[in-house]
């Protein structure tokens, strides 16, 4: 800017040094006005005049006169008010105090407004601001005065006590008086905290301590929980209504401590408490308990432990109940039932809390593995379902059951045992054609696959492939027979063969028997055909798991008997004999005596008896090799086709033993493989570490016994896969 | 902005709903204003009205040590937020706004003075 600006300074008036008398005059003017304000007579005063006076004093550096003067006026005024208030009796006291306080507060706002210039331009820390000065004087001379403070707090607490006992009190009055403590606090609500809050919290704890003790001894746990919830809601409302919000968390904590934390053990143990609620599926009460316990430290841990303990106990009862031990179906059904029941409790009462679910699962794991029969029972349960037990269920129900099976399966520590049994029963279902639906079989297997991966189900899937390929092979064989020259010489029989790949199927204990010439000729033909089509394969006949249909001609009627291969062999012997002893049967068929016993039993002791014992012996179960049987020519049966069980029991003890043995064999291999795998990567390892590592690797399939791992290590040392360090016998080294 | 509301001192008096008068004693001039505007723009006026003292009762404020040539632009500023500061009035306006604690105007004046000193 080129043009030079000249600031126009108004004709400078030498500020007249303010005379003391002038300052005094202005102060007296203000003082009179303040007194008028304190007597609520402000309407005739000129705001501008007062403002100007205060301004003049401050710019003349006479603010001190004004500030100290104000302090004195406030001091005087509050002391007068104290006498007035202290004289009020009973309820008048609170009302008088409150009305004086409300007026005082308004006056202080007005004084602050008049003295705004003083407040802004003169007051410096640590001096109090004009309004704060007023508050401080009230606090000093009225509120914490011995004639007021204690009386006020006692009355306030008395009113709160009355309200807690159901009486109606003046909430607005409470709010105003309690807020007074906050208003006079200069920083961090210190007056409120010291003079009121502390005593209030103490009174609260006292009140709820005695109330809760009395209530819980005279009421049920459910009623107590409801009471607690109502009390907590009331206290929340109290905070909003007349307490300072900073008290909220402390008040609620005090209530929770007295009402919940101090009575948790009682609420769990009392007759109507947590245990009973769990036992009787009182979902709503448990839900309330969960909600309340959640509020206090460690509350849920108590509840969770109690629940998990109950679950473990119930599970333990089920897996050890004698009836359940005999009946796998009942056992698994009850387990699924309690699982459902506890899942319902978890979802309805415990908000599906992760910790709760985990502890229930841990409980299941522990009781399900208490009993080494569970793997087999579960396999049997599914077997029954897949043999037709699902007949009356819809897809959705089936899916639910299957998922429960998977769930229980997940808890098993010996999954390999289960797998063996499952394969065993699956093989039986497939070979005897008793599977209800291939779709369902495959669904079940796919669920196991999802759970455990390919390796777990590869054999099972192999079985299905075998079944399909067998059908193709059989069709081919039938074509071959029609074109074969040898065919003309043989009487026609309808033979069906299944080719099972070794390894996919459970190994059936080898049994030998002598087939009738006709059958063995057919077998030879099949072997010839099959080995021609698939070079390099070897066929081993497993006659013991076959079935046969035999025509049974009675004098008046003809039946078709559906029998096992063994039973067929036995029955065929009667073509040439009227009576046979078991010993003779065994000799005629080359079947072991034990298998003869088991095969004969259904034939003479079932609903339809094609054999009879001679002489008839009542209720004698034990068969001896000299017992003699003959055909029952008086058989009465409306059915044309009669089906017989292959053996007397679903599964015999030896067979089960056999399965167990095979599991042990497999485990040895698995443990060997695990040890070698670990040692190969680690080269050297201390004994204990090796055991731990090995157990960890195998835990998804089974829990190996330490003794077994030890034996395998010994064995591997013998086979020179490992060696001990010469200087430290507890360490092993891998030998490449 | 609300400049016109204040500047049309004599026109449309009925439609302007003036409810408060400010008198400059020096020049015997008066300005018609609105309580709501003044109180929303200045803490001084807010407190003045809130106090319900004489000025509030009489709807009239008498100012002693200010001339209308200074008061007009200041009132206009309270209405419009705009003010023309020049070397003539800068110091007077600064004095007035300091006295009545009009913080933003204090800043405008002192910036002007700093620049032109």
């Amino acid at each position: 800017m080129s043009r030079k600006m000249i600031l126009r300074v108004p004709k400078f008036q030498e500020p007249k040094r303010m005379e003391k008398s002038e300052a005094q005059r202005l102060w007296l003017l203000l003082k009179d006005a303040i007194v008028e304000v304190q007597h609520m007579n402000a309407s005739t005063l000129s705001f501008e005049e007062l403002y100007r006076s205060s301004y003049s004093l401050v710019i003349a550096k006479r603010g001190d006169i004004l500030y100290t003067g104000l302090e004195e006026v406030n001091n005087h005024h509050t002391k007068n008010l104290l006498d007035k208030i202290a004289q009020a009796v009973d309820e008048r006291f609170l009302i008088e105090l409150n009305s004086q306080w409300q007026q005082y507060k308004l006056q202080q706002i007005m004084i602050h407004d008049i003295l705004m210039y003083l407040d802004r331009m003169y007051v410096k820390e640590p001096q109090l601001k004009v309004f704060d000065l007023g508050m401080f004087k009230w606090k000093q001379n009225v509120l914490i005065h011995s004639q007021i403070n204690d009386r006020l707090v006692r009355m306030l607490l008395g009113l709160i006590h009355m309200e807690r006992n159901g009486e109606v009190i003046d909430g607005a009055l409470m709010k105003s008086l309690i807020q007074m403590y906050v208003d006079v606090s200069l920083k961090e609500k210190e007056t409120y905290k010291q003079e009121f809050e502390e005593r209030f919290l103490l009174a609260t704890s006292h009140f709820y301590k005695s109330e809760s003790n009395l209530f819980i001894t005279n009421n049920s746990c459910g009623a107590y929980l409801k009471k607690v919830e109502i009390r907590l809601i009331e206290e929340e409302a109290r905070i909003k209504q007349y307490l300072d919000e900073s008290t909220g968390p402390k008040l609620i904590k005090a209530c929770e401590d007295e009402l919940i934390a101090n009575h948790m053990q009682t609420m769990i143990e009392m007759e109507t408490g947590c245990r009973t609620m769990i036992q009787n599926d009182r979902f709503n009460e448990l839900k309330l308990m969960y909600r309340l316990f959640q509020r206090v430290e460690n509350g849920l841990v108590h509840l969770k432990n109690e629940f998990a303990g109950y679950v473990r106990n119930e599970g333990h009862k089920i897996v050890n109940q004698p009836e359940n031990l005999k009946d796998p179906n009942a056992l698994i059904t009850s387990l699924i039932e309690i699982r459902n029941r506890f899942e319902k409790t978890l979802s309805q009462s415990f908000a599906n809390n992760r910790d709760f679910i985990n502890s229930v699962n841990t409980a299941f794991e522990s009781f399900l593995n208490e009993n080494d029969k569970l793997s087999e029972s579960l396999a049997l349960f599914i077997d029954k379902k897949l043999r037709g037990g699902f007949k009356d269920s819809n897809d959705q129900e089936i899916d639910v059951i299957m998922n429960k099976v998977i769930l229980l399966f997940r808890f098993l520590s010996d999954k390999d045992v289960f797998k063996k049994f499952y394969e065993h029963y699956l093989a039986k279902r497939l070979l005897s054609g008793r599977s209800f639906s291939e779709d369902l079989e495959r669904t079940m297997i796919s669920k196991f696959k999802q759970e455990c991966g390919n390796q777990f189900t590869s054999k099972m899937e192999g079985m299905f492939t075998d079944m399909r390929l067998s059908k193709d092979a059989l069709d081919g064989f039938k074509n071959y027979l029609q074109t074969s020259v040898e065919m003309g010489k043989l009487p026609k029989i309808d033979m069906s063969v299944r080719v099972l790949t070794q390894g996919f199927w459970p190994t059936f204990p080898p049994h030998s028997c002598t087939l009738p010439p006709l059958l063995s000729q057919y077998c030879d033909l099949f072997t010839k055909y099959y080995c021609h089509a698939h070079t390099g394969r070897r066929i081993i006949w497993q006659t013991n798991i076959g079935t046969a249909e035999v025509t049974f001609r009675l004098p008046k009627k003809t039946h078709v008997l559906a029998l096992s291969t063994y039973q067929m062999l036995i029955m065929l012997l009667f073509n040439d004999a009227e009576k046979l002893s078991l010993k003779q049967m065994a000799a005629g068929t080359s079947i072991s005596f034990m298998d003869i016993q088991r095969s004969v039993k259904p034939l003479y002791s079932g609903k339809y008896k094609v054999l009879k014992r001679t002489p008839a012996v009542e209720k004698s179960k034990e068969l001896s090799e000299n017992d003699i049987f003959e055909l029952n020519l008086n058989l009465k049966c409306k059915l044309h086709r009669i089906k017989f069980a292959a053996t007397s029991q679903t599964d015999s003890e030896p067979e089960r033993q056999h399965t167990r043995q095979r599991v042990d064999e497999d485990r040895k291999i698995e443990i060997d493989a695990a040890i070698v795998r670990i040692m190969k990567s680690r080269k050297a390892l201390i004994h204990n570490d090796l055991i731990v590592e090995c157990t960890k690797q195998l835990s998804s399939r089974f829990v190996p016994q330490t003794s077994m791992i030890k034996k395998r290590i010994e064995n591997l040392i013998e086979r020179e896969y490992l060696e001990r360090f010469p200087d430290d016998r507890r360490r092993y080294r891998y030998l490449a | 902005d609300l400049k016109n509301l204040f500047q049309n001192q004599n026109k449309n008096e009925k439609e302007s709903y003036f409810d408060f008068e400010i008198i400059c004693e020096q020049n015997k001039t008066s300005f018609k204003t609105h309580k709501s505007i003044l109180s929303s723009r200045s803490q001084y006026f807010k407190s003045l009205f809130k106090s319900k003292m004489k000025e509030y009762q009489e709807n009239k404020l008498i100012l002693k040590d200010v001339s209308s040539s200074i008061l007009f632009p200041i009132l206009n500023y309270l209405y419009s937020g705009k003010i023309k500061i020049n070397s003539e009035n800068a110091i007077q306006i600064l004095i007035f706004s300091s006295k009545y604690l009009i913080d933003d105007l204090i800043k405008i004046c002192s910036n002007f003075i700093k620049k032109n000193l």
Side-chain angles (χ1 to χ4, degrees):
Chain A
M1 220 180 279
S2 60
R3 194 163 56 98
K4 185 141 194 188
M5 296 278 282
I6 299 165
L7 262 185
R8 180 75 160 292
V9 177
K11 199 173 58 184
F12 192 73
Q13 298 166 332
E14 178 76 23
K16 279 176 278 171
R17 177 100 182 89
M18 191 183 267
E19 293 297 328
K20 214 171 182 183
S21 62
E22 172 61 4
Q24 199 58 34
R25 188 188 69 80
L26 288 175
W27 158 239
L28 284 178
L29 184 105
L30 280 165
K31 183 186 170 185
D32 286 348
I34 290 168
V35 172
E36 288 300 308
V37 167
Q38 286 171 343
H39 290 89
M40 307 305 275
N41 294 327
S43 60
T44 57
L45 302 168
S46 160
F47 185 87
E48 163 62 16
E49 193 185 356
L50 299 171
Y51 185 89
R52 198 169 54 230
S53 306
S54 129
Y55 168 76
S56 302
L57 280 168
V58 174
I59 59 166
K61 303 207 183 321
R62 295 293 190 177
D64 54 332
I65 298 182
L66 182 49
Y67 192 81
T68 37
L70 173 68
E71 199 171 349
E72 270 163 38
V73 174
N74 273 335
N75 214 18
H76 182 71
H77 181 52
T78 45
K79 280 181 176 162
N80 282 343
L81 289 177
L82 169 70
D83 293 337
K84 225 172 164 183
I85 297 164
Q87 279 166 19
V89 288
D90 303 334
E91 304 90 73
R92 288 295 312 158
F93 172 70
L94 294 182
I95 292 164
E96 180 66 23
L97 176 63
N98 185 45
S99 86
Q100 290 296 352
W101 160 247
Q102 291 299 342
Q103 282 185 12
Y104 184 82
K105 210 155 86 167
L106 287 177
Q107 294 156 9
Q108 289 301 322
I109 292 170
M110 210 182 274
I111 291 168
H112 161 265
D113 286 349
I114 298 167
L115 304 181
M116 203 175 354
Y117 198 83
L118 176 82
D119 204 38
R120 285 272 295 271
M121 298 303 173
Y122 170 77
V123 179
K124 298 265 159 5
E125 294 258 11
Q127 280 174 315
L128 295 175
K129 287 280 184 187
V130 171
F131 183 79
D132 291 344
L133 180 66
M135 293 297 109
F136 178 70
K137 284 293 159 194
W138 175 273
K139 172 183 163 185
Q140 196 180 37
N141 293 328
V142 181
L143 185 57
I144 62 167
H145 191 276
S146 57
Q147 281 177 285
I148 304 288
N149 192 21
D150 197 46
R151 191 169 165 203
L152 174 59
V153 174
R154 266 190 290 114
M155 286 181 81
L156 290 174
L157 295 182
L159 285 169
I160 294 173
H161 187 87
M162 278 163 62
E163 193 182 41
R164 281 180 176 145
N165 282 328
E167 288 179 53
V168 178
I169 63 170
D170 182 348
L173 180 65
M174 298 294 285
K175 188 180 176 67
S176 170
L177 290 169
I178 290 171
Q179 182 61 35
M180 177 169 69
Y181 281 99
V182 180
D183 288 341
V184 302
S185 304
L186 291 177
K187 54 183 178 203
E188 287 156 9
K189 300 174 178 168
E190 94 282 355
T191 314
Y192 171 75
K193 283 182 191 160
Q194 272 167 29
E195 306 299 332
F196 176 75
E197 188 187 62
E198 206 173 292
R199 292 174 66 181
F200 165 69
L201 291 175
L202 204 64
T204 301
S205 295
H206 270 295
F207 180 83
Y208 285 125
K209 188 187 284 299
S210 65
E211 184 189 68
S212 62
N213 281 332
L214 194 67
F215 198 91
I216 206 165
T217 34
N218 293 319
N219 290 279
S220 72
C221 184
Y224 179 75
L225 289 169
K226 278 178 198 133
K227 176 91 179 167
V228 170
E229 189 173 47
I230 290 168
R231 278 308 196 187
L232 289 170
I233 292 169
E234 284 172 3
E235 294 299 331
E236 295 277 3
R238 176 160 296 118
I239 297 162
K240 290 212 177 71
Q241 212 194 344
Y242 51 73
L243 295 169
D244 187 76
E245 61 176 2
S246 67
T247 306
K250 299 178 210 171
L251 171 61
I252 295 303
K253 169 82 169 57
C255 296
E256 285 167 350
D257 282 352
E258 291 302 335
L259 294 171
I260 305 169
N262 286 350
H263 296 289
M264 277 198 295
Q265 208 53 38
T266 317
M267 282 189 266
I268 282 171
E269 284 168 4
M270 66 197 281
E271 210 183 308
T272 52
C274 173
R275 276 173 208 169
T276 323
M277 292 177 190
I278 296 172
Q279 256 166 39
N280 298 317
D281 296 336
R282 301 260 260 286
F283 298 134
N284 286 335
E285 288 180 356
L286 284 171
K287 190 175 173 179
L288 182 54
M289 183 173 261
Y290 176 86
R291 240 190 358 244
L292 294 177
F293 276 37
Q294 196 175 25
R295 305 175 71 130
V296 302
E297 203 184 341
N298 286 329
L300 288 188
V301 177
H302 278 80
L303 190 54
K304 183 187 78 184
N305 290 345
E306 186 59 32
F307 183 53
Y310 178 77
V311 172
R312 194 173 312 114
N313 204 20
E314 285 299 289
H316 175 82
K317 273 195 244 162
I318 288 176
V319 296
N320 289 300
Q321 219 168 51
E323 302 94 79
N324 285 343
L325 288 179
K326 274 183 240 150
D327 182 353
N329 212 40
L331 172 63
I332 303 298
T333 309
S334 332
L335 287 174
I336 290 177
E337 267 167 24
I338 62 158
R339 181 73 202 180
N340 286 342
R341 192 183 141 208
F342 294 140
E343 278 179 3
K344 205 169 168 196
T345 318
L346 282 170
S347 74
Q348 302 222 338
S349 303
F350 302 141
N352 276 331
N353 179 310
R354 273 269 124 227
D355 286 349
F356 277 56
I357 293 177
N358 288 343
S359 67
V360 167
N361 287 348
T362 312
F364 265 77
E365 241 163 63
S366 96
F367 67 71
L368 286 182
N369 293 305
E370 257 176 40
N371 189 318
D372 67 345
K373 276 201 163 175
L374 209 99
S375 298
E376 188 185 356
S377 302
L378 190 60
L380 270 168
F381 174 81
I382 311 170
D383 182 58
K384 188 158 180 198
K385 290 286 178 201
L386 288 171
R387 274 168 188 265
F390 278 140
K391 206 160 38 190
D392 303 322
S393 314
N394 64 32
D395 288 356
Q396 208 188 343
E397 289 162 350
I398 292 172
D399 195 57
V400 169
I401 294 174
M402 283 184 174
N403 288 338
K404 291 286 161 180
V405 166
I406 293 289
L407 191 85
L408 293 179
F409 164 75
R410 201 173 290 155
F411 297 130
L412 290 178
S413 51
D414 294 343
K415 295 191 172 55
D416 60 339
V417 178
F418 170 82
K419 178 173 178 258
K420 272 282 179 291
F421 279 112
Y422 191 85
E423 284 165 358
H424 177 81
Y425 291 117
L426 173 62
K428 283 196 153 188
R429 283 198 296 282
L430 292 177
L431 294 178
S432 60
R434 297 293 282 271
S435 177
F436 172 62
S437 146
E438 191 178 324
D439 278 350
L440 290 181
E441 293 280 3
R442 286 190 182 277
T443 314
M444 192 69 237
I445 288 173
S446 73
K447 281 181 191 290
F448 283 118
K449 195 168 173 175
Q450 254 176 24
E451 188 67 24
C452 294
N454 268 334
Q455 205 197 358
F456 193 82
T457 53
S458 62
K459 286 189 180 180
M460 303 178 192
E461 281 164 349
M463 292 189 210
F464 280 100
T465 314
D466 277 354
M467 293 301 284
R468 204 182 61 238
L469 294 178
S470 296
K471 201 171 161 288
D472 296 345
L474 200 59
D475 289 344
F477 178 57
K478 277 178 184 159
N479 285 335
Y480 167 77
L481 282 184
Q482 273 167 10
T483 54
S484 165
V485 273
E486 285 152 286
M487 189 53 210
K489 301 174 209 159
L490 288 173
K492 245 183 163 175
I493 58 168
D494 192 8
M495 186 174 82
S496 160
V497 180
R498 284 184 185 132
V499 188
L500 315 181
T501 310
Q502 202 170 27
F504 290 166
W505 299 75
T507 51
F508 298 95
H511 292 280
S512 62
C513 64
T514 313
L515 291 175
L518 180 59
L519 265 180
S520 68
Q521 271 174 309
Y522 264 92
C523 288
D524 292 344
L525 269 177
F526 185 85
T527 309
K528 202 170 146 195
Y529 161 77
Y530 190 84
C531 292
H532 180 72
H534 306 272
T535 41
R537 292 194 188 175
R538 197 161 64 94
I539 281 187
I540 299 166
W541 292 89
Q542 293 271 359
T543 45
N544 51 321
I545 48 177
T547 58
E549 291 200 347
V550 177
T551 312
F552 185 44
R553 288 202 184 80
L554 290 173
K556 286 178 185 165
K557 214 174 170 187
T558 304
H559 290 285
V560 173
L561 309 180
L563 303 169
S564 72
T565 310
Y566 285 176
Q567 285 165 334
M568 170 194 75
L569 296 180
I570 294 164
M571 289 303 279
L572 286 179
L573 292 178
F574 285 96
N575 277 336
D576 304 317
E578 257 176 42
K579 295 180 181 181
L580 287 167
S581 70
L582 291 184
K583 197 175 174 182
Q584 285 169 314
M585 291 182 199
T589 56
S590 318
I591 303 171
S592 71
F593 177 67
M594 199 182 65
D595 284 334
I596 292 279
Q597 269 183 319
R598 289 171 51 206
S599 304
V600 163
K601 204 162 182 189
L603 299 177
Y604 81 93
S605 66
K607 192 174 174 194
Y608 303 113
K609 301 170 177 59
V610 287
L611 289 183
K612 59 182 182 184
R613 227 165 140 178
T614 45
V617 183
E618 282 300 313
K619 303 219 172 187
S620 159
K621 281 194 175 171
E622 285 301 307
L623 286 174
S624 85
E625 55 180 5
N626 295 321
D627 286 339
I628 292 171
F629 287 87
E630 61 180 314
L631 292 177
N632 177 14
L633 300 175
N634 301 321
L635 176 71
K636 295 230 167 16
C637 174
K638 284 178 185 166
L639 300 169
H640 175 64
R641 190 170 179 278
I642 310 172
K643 196 161 181 175
F644 290 89
T647 54
S648 54
Q649 291 159 348
T650 334
D651 213 343
S652 62
E653 196 50 39
E655 247 179 293
R656 196 172 291 136
Q657 287 296 337
H658 180 70
T659 307
R660 289 260 166 204
Q661 260 171 27
R662 278 189 300 123
V663 169
D664 278 347
E665 287 305 315
D666 285 358
R667 279 187 182 187
K668 278 182 194 162
I669 298 166
E670 294 244 21
I671 295 173
D672 286 356
I675 295 173
V676 170
R677 240 187 344 261
I678 295 162
M679 291 307 292
K680 200 168 181 175
S681 69
R682 306 285 289 270
K683 302 298 178 218
L685 211 56
I686 291 175
H687 176 79
N688 284 353
D689 291 348
L690 180 57
I691 302 260
V692 169
E693 189 79 5
C694 189
T695 311
K696 204 172 95 192
Q697 278 209 4
L698 294 169
S699 65
S700 69
R701 274 169 274 186
F702 62 96
V703 179
Q705 288 171 323
T706 311
S707 61
M708 193 155 173
I709 302 179
K710 271 188 198 158
K711 268 188 204 151
R712 296 321 300 161
I713 295 174
E714 295 296 335
N715 184 279
L716 287 170
I717 290 172
E718 271 170 37
R719 281 150 64 196
E720 297 188 336
Y721 280 94
L722 309 177
E723 68 170 8
R724 291 181 201 276
F725 276 86
D727 50 341
D728 183 355
R729 306 279 297 157
R730 293 177 55 252
R731 283 177 77 204
Y732 304 113
R733 187 191 354 241
Y734 179 69
L735 298 174
Chain B
D1 69 47
L2 302 171
K3 188 174 65 187
N4 291 336
L5 196 61
F6 172 63
Q7 286 181 352
N8 297 344
Q9 283 283 319
N10 298 313
K11 289 181 238 162
N12 300 328
E13 198 168 336
K14 274 196 177 151
E15 287 166 33
S16 297
Y17 304 103
F18 294 120
D19 55 4
F20 194 69
E21 199 178 356
I22 300 179
I23 298 163
C24 278
E25 215 179 41
Q26 289 181 1
N27 331 50
K28 305 276 182 257
T29 338
S30 96
F31 298 102
K32 300 192 186 86
T33 62
H34 301 87
K35 285 182 193 166
S36 55
I37 302 222
L38 297 179
S39 76
S40 65
R41 294 282 284 142
S42 139
Q43 184 61 46
Y44 170 83
F45 283 107
K46 192 180 231 168
S47 298
L48 179 99
F49 298 130
K50 200 173 61 182
S51 73
K52 309 231 162 117
M53 290 184 183
K54 198 165 131 201
E55 289 84 354
Y56 175 85
Q57 310 284 341
E58 296 175 356
N59 291 324
K60 187 169 75 185
L61 167 66
I62 300 169
L63 293 177
K64 281 188 171 164
D65 34 15
V66 67
S67 76
S68 56
S69 62
I70 297 299
L71 187 59
F72 179 79
I74 291 174
L75 289 175
N76 197 43
Y77 170 75
L78 292 182
Y79 272 81
S80 65
K82 286 171 195 142
I83 191 161
K84 280 215 172 76
I85 310 278
N86 54 42
S87 48
E88 303 279 324
N89 64 11
I91 295 203
Q92 295 283 13
I93 292 177
L94 177 64
I95 291 172
F96 185 91
S97 49
S98 314
K99 177 174 176 184
Y100 291 101
L101 303 167
I102 311 172
D103 295 333
D104 43 351
L105 196 48
I106 297 175
K107 200 174 270 172
I108 293 173
C109 292
S110 41
N111 283 345
F112 177 87
I113 294 168
K114 264 186 231 160
K115 245 193 248 167
N116 293 292
L117 255 179

